[in-house]
Amino acid sequence: MLKNTFTIFFIFLLSHACFSQRAADQKISEQLLENTSSRPKLVVGIVVDQMRYDYLTRFENKFGEGGFKRMINEGFNCKNNHFNYVPTYTGPGHASVYTGTTPKYHGIIANYWYDKESKERVYCAGDSKVQSVGTKANSGQMSPHRMQTTTFGDENRLFTQMRGKTIGIAIKDRGAILPAGHTANAAYWFHGKDEGQWISSTFYMNELPKWVKDFNKEHSVSKYLTTWNTLYDISTYTESGPDLNNFEGGFKGKETATFPYNLDDLKDKNEGYEILKATAFGNNLTTDFALAAIEGEQLGKDDYTDVLALSYSSPDYVGHNFGVNSKEVQDTYLRLDKDLERLLNYLDSHVGENNYTVFLTADHAAIDAPAYLQSVRIPAGYLDFKQTRERFKAFMEETYKASDLVENISNNQVFLNREKIKALGLNLQNVQEAIVNELISYKNVDKVYSATTMATTQFNTGIESLMQMGYNQKRSGDVLIVPDPSFISYSRTGSTHGSGLNHDTHVPLLFFGKGIEKGETLQKTSITDIAPTMSALLGTSFPNGSTGTPLEFVLD
């Protein structure tokens, strides 16, 4: 009898505890729903890889009303938006947009860099500890583990008790992974070659979701391997240079870099499906996959804000190949405008017109091909690293009677062998300064600074300030070099980026949708202001390393 009474009493306590826990969980859910009711159901962050601000104004008359123009006319346009650090590369750019800080703090100092501990070159998203998902190739061995701070998507995940989703999508792995952050539900990128598949890594999952498998099966990338001709009559493309010129790269197997391009015929000589990356159709593929993700993941369908980090990688490939003044770049942006319109219309119908917020920016801009600039008498040119390296090597050997004091030279930085310097009884700071004084005398070298200067002197303006915000004491080199303006290390065709000059730092910043004011400003804004602005809109904590300022005038 006593035993039965105890059992009944225990069951009562257990059921009461379970009921209390359910009630507590219900109360937490109700509080979260109350807190999130005024927030957008979905935030879509769009980063266009290699987009100059003047593309918005130069191609304006050719854009439709539903893409870029809709965001400008119905949203907020920050016309004087810049990167506030160097180098202006893809990895650092995507990380900075979403973390609200610079390489000085988030640690993504370049796409690739020399790692001073392992003594090897590392990739910003590379991770040998994870495995590919969706392919047997090693192109899936990626994660955000080298990024040292959180993104606003991470903070939204924490705020919603992991109920709000974050999905990253880009053709480039780094364009999907770094924006998605550390807590993302998934990041997907495109593996071309002979497969043409969207893939991921075991950092996120062990198997691709059904909707991704279905997309890979049903949306065969072969359909994008069509003929790339201009969207409109090429004679109307008066905002770009002549189609036939000496400043473009083109594709293997085609004698001239001129329209049209039969991609199916050219693919075998251009790494198979990889050719899609360097065409406007890469953006079509990305948009199609993004729409499938919104549906497959049911983004924006509940009361907890989701984040879609969407990056358009193809404009960068096109720009590198053909140059910023090419007909190919113009056509790519006119077609991207159509993709943007398609995306916004889909969001209207599937999430609701007043239920989502979008921002659009770029990870960097780009310079005109220096060969073209030279042809119109603007100072520009190409760096001869071979000659510079030989002279510098001779200087080091003559000065210090040693040939191994320099471990690596990359990203315009010199990495010294500190153990060797110590073993020889040399003073590190003195060696750094001696190199500074040597390199500043070289042709096409504009400025040189030591790591000691970067760490001990506060710069507030100019290129020195940008260098300092890109300098990471743990990861950057001992000596930092700035080439002459508009001098690059690149082929004589196509365009590149990386400097702190306006042609690389000035990028669009458009806000649109729920919680956004209508307007524009010429007040200078920084790329690092985007993440804290999104955090302010969502009412979450700022990313833990954020140094940007919320743009109060953008928010409704």
Side-chain angles (χ1 to χ4, degrees):
M1 180 69 178
L2 181 61
K3 182 177 180 180
N4 290 339
T5 301
F6 178 78
T7 301
I8 294 171
F9 180 67
F10 178 76
I11 292 173
F12 171 78
L13 288 177
L14 184 62
S15 63
H16 179 73
C18 292
F19 175 80
S20 299
Q21 183 61 49
R22 286 197 297 271
D25 289 344
Q26 179 67 24
K27 185 175 182 181
I28 291 173
S29 296
E30 290 173 354
Q31 289 174 341
L32 282 168
L33 290 175
E34 182 179 352
N35 290 337
T36 58
S37 61
S38 62
R39 297 178 177 85
K41 292 179 178 294
L42 176 62
V43 171
V44 181
I46 301 174
V47 177
V48 184
D49 204 324
Q50 196 185 125
M51 183 175 184
R52 292 164 56 114
Y53 177 81
D54 67 353
Y55 290 165
L56 288 179
T57 53
R58 182 145 59 101
F59 305 143
E60 179 180 9
N61 291 335
K62 298 292 192 299
F63 289 143
E65 297 299 320
F68 289 114
K69 280 187 178 180
R70 181 182 175 190
M71 291 193 70
I72 292 170
N73 294 333
E74 298 179 23
F76 202 97
N77 183 6
C78 296
K79 295 182 173 182
N80 191 20
N81 183 62
H82 289 262
F83 279 87
N84 56 348
Y85 66 86
V86 288
T88 42
Y89 295 152
T90 297
H94 282 81
S96 298
V97 167
Y98 282 83
T99 63
T101 192
T102 69
K104 180 177 182 178
Y105 300 104
H106 62 58
I108 304 298
I109 63 172
N111 293 333
Y112 295 86
W113 65 86
Y114 178 72
D115 184 78
K116 292 186 280 191
E117 293 186 7
S118 65
K119 310 297 183 185
E120 62 183 4
R121 185 173 182 249
V122 298
Y123 177 53
C124 62
D127 189 350
S128 60
K129 295 181 180 179
V130 301
Q131 301 302 315
S132 300
V133 174
T135 179
K136 293 181 179 180
N138 62 7
S139 52
Q141 290 188 283
M142 306 288 170
S143 84
H145 75 107
R146 287 195 169 93
M147 187 169 67
Q148 297 177 312
T149 58
T150 63
T151 65
F152 79 81
D154 285 327
E155 297 301 332
N156 181 66
R157 291 272 286 157
L158 294 171
F159 180 82
T160 62
Q161 302 302 311
M162 301 297 172
R163 293 176 173 90
K165 289 184 176 181
T166 299
I167 305 292
I169 293 172
I171 280 181
K172 291 184 182 178
D173 48 59
R174 57 187 179 271
I177 291 167
L178 299 175
H182 302 279
T183 62
N185 300 81
Y188 301 102
W189 52 98
F190 183 70
H191 174 67
K193 305 294 184 181
D194 60 347
E195 295 184 39
Q197 301 281 305
W198 289 91
I199 66 171
S200 190
S201 85
T202 53
F203 180 84
Y204 307 99
M205 64 194 73
N206 292 318
E207 185 179 3
L208 292 177
K210 182 179 183 301
W211 70 265
V212 178
K213 292 180 180 178
D214 289 345
F215 186 95
N216 283 333
K217 181 179 179 181
E218 297 168 8
H219 291 72
S220 171
V221 291
S222 298
K223 74 175 186 179
Y224 302 96
L225 289 173
T226 182
T227 297
W228 182 18
N229 210 338
T230 52
L231 183 62
Y232 307 115
D233 188 330
I234 196 170
S235 66
T236 66
Y237 282 32
T238 55
E239 297 79 11
S240 49
D243 194 27
L244 180 62
N245 60 72
N246 297 322
F247 315 117
E248 301 176 12
F251 295 116
K252 295 177 181 178
K254 192 172 190 301
E255 187 174 343
T256 60
T258 55
F259 283 105
Y261 299 95
N262 188 319
L263 302 182
D264 193 41
D265 287 348
L266 294 170
K267 71 176 188 303
D268 291 340
K269 293 184 178 181
N270 294 272
E271 300 185 86
Y273 292 118
E274 293 290 303
I275 195 173
L276 284 174
K277 296 180 178 181
T279 75
F281 301 136
N283 294 331
N284 300 155
L285 171 63
T286 303
T287 303
D288 288 343
F289 189 74
L291 301 187
I294 295 170
E295 175 66 26
E297 296 289 345
Q298 290 292 285
L299 300 181
K301 290 298 186 181
D302 59 24
D303 293 302
Y304 303 102
T305 301
D306 298 320
V307 175
L308 174 62
L310 175 61
S311 178
Y312 285 101
S313 306
S314 288
D316 186 64
Y317 290 104
V318 176
H320 277 294
N321 192 357
F322 297 97
V324 304
N325 198 44
S326 64
K327 290 282 192 287
E328 287 81 2
V329 160
Q330 179 167 0
D331 193 68
T332 295
Y333 276 91
L334 297 185
R335 290 176 180 273
L336 178 59
D337 182 58
K338 297 294 186 184
D339 273 307
L340 183 58
E341 179 177 4
R342 187 157 60 100
L343 174 63
L344 295 178
N345 288 341
Y346 189 89
L347 292 171
D348 287 343
S349 61
H350 285 71
V351 183
E353 287 192 45
N354 196 40
N355 288 329
Y356 67 89
T357 305
V358 179
F359 70 80
L360 183 147
T361 189
D363 58 345
H364 54 73
I367 185 177
D368 270 292
Y372 167 67
L373 295 177
Q374 288 173 334
S375 74
V376 293
R377 296 182 294 184
I378 292 176
Y382 299 89
L383 301 171
D384 185 355
F385 275 141
K386 181 179 179 181
Q387 184 177 2
T388 300
R389 285 174 184 269
E390 289 175 355
R391 179 178 169 182
F392 180 60
K393 179 181 179 182
F395 162 77
M396 293 298 290
E397 290 179 354
E398 180 180 343
T399 304
Y400 299 106
K401 312 302 180 189
S403 60
D404 56 353
L405 289 188
V406 176
E407 285 188 345
N408 180 267
I409 301 176
S410 57
N411 295 316
N412 292 326
Q413 297 181 26
V414 178
F415 293 80
L416 295 175
N417 186 331
R418 297 192 174 195
E419 291 82 4
K420 183 71 173 180
I421 288 173
K422 184 177 181 180
L424 292 175
L426 299 172
N427 180 280
L428 176 63
Q429 184 175 345
N430 290 344
V431 175
Q432 290 176 350
E433 288 302 320
I435 293 174
V436 168
N437 292 328
E438 169 69 12
L439 292 178
I440 196 61
S441 68
Y442 288 14
K443 183 180 179 181
N444 300 134
V445 172
D446 188 39
K447 293 176 176 61
V448 189
Y449 290 96
S450 69
T452 300
T453 299
M454 286 290 110
T456 59
T457 305
Q458 181 64 45
F459 298 104
N460 297 314
T461 60
I463 188 66
E464 292 82 3
S465 174
L466 302 186
M467 292 172 68
Q468 195 160 53
M469 295 308 293
Y471 172 77
N472 184 285
Q473 193 171 11
K474 192 85 169 180
R475 295 179 174 179
S476 297
D478 290 277
V479 177
L480 289 72
I481 307 164
V482 181
D484 281 345
S486 299
F487 274 74
I488 63 173
S489 174
Y490 204 65
S491 67
R492 295 186 66 84
T493 59
S495 301
T496 194
H497 48 86
S499 79
L501 298 171
N502 287 328
H503 55 65
D504 285 342
T505 67
H506 190 192
V507 297
L509 178 53
L510 307 176
F511 293 93
F512 173 86
K514 186 177 180 66
I516 301 300
E517 282 279 7
K518 179 181 177 182
E520 61 183 35
T521 185
L522 279 170
Q523 176 180 327
K524 189 169 186 177
T525 57
S526 294
I527 208 75
T528 51
D529 296 334
I530 298 172
T533 301
M534 288 295 99
S535 294
L537 174 69
L538 299 179
T540 66
S541 294
F542 292 2
N544 60 15
S546 176
T547 54
T549 302
L551 302 177
E552 186 176 1
F553 49 81
V554 164
L555 301 178
D556 185 2

